[in-house]
Amino acid sequence: MAVVFENRTLVEQDQFRDEVRRALAQGEVEVTFTKADGSSRVLRGTTNLGWVPASQHPRGLKEPNPMVQPVFDLEKMEWRSFRWDRVSDYRTL
């Protein structure tokens, strides 16, 4: 499903974030977004700690930034993040 975050209303943006977060919490998701350098990136990741090696589990609490989503990259096996306003597409795997 092609989606452009910035073209949505604020309510739609909140709903979209919730939808993607639910998918990430359940399992593997591909998120396509624009990196800071302008290039496109497809991240295959999750926030489900059952998929994350114990050595990579978060330690402590960090103040979340509502515009940034941390995700465990299943290809790099490291934590990465993306900005919500740069997301162009996502799909569950």
Side-chain angles (χ1 to χ4, degrees), residues 9-54:
T9 67
L10 292 178
V11 170
E12 290 171 332
Q13 288 177 4
D14 286 343
Q15 291 170 341
F16 177 74
R17 274 193 290 262
D18 290 344
E19 183 180 312
V20 176
R21 284 182 178 138
R22 276 193 302 275
L24 286 164
Q26 290 178 358
E28 188 176 351
V29 177
E30 267 187 5
V31 179
T32 304
F33 61 95
T34 304
K35 294 174 30 174
D37 67 5
S39 63
S40 182
R41 161 105 152 88
V42 177
L43 184 149
R44 187 174 60 87
T46 188
T47 58
N48 183 323
L49 293 181
W51 292 55
V52 178

Side-chain angles (χ1 to χ4, degrees), residues 61-84:
L61 295 176
K62 191 174 170 184
E63 185 66 34
N65 179 340
M67 293 308 298
V68 176
Q69 177 62 51
V71 177
F72 189 76
D73 186 319
L74 294 167
E75 293 172 338
K76 296 182 186 238
M77 298 303 285
E78 295 179 348
W79 287 93
R80 296 289 189 255
S81 62
F82 59 83
R83 293 188 54 82
W84 285 108

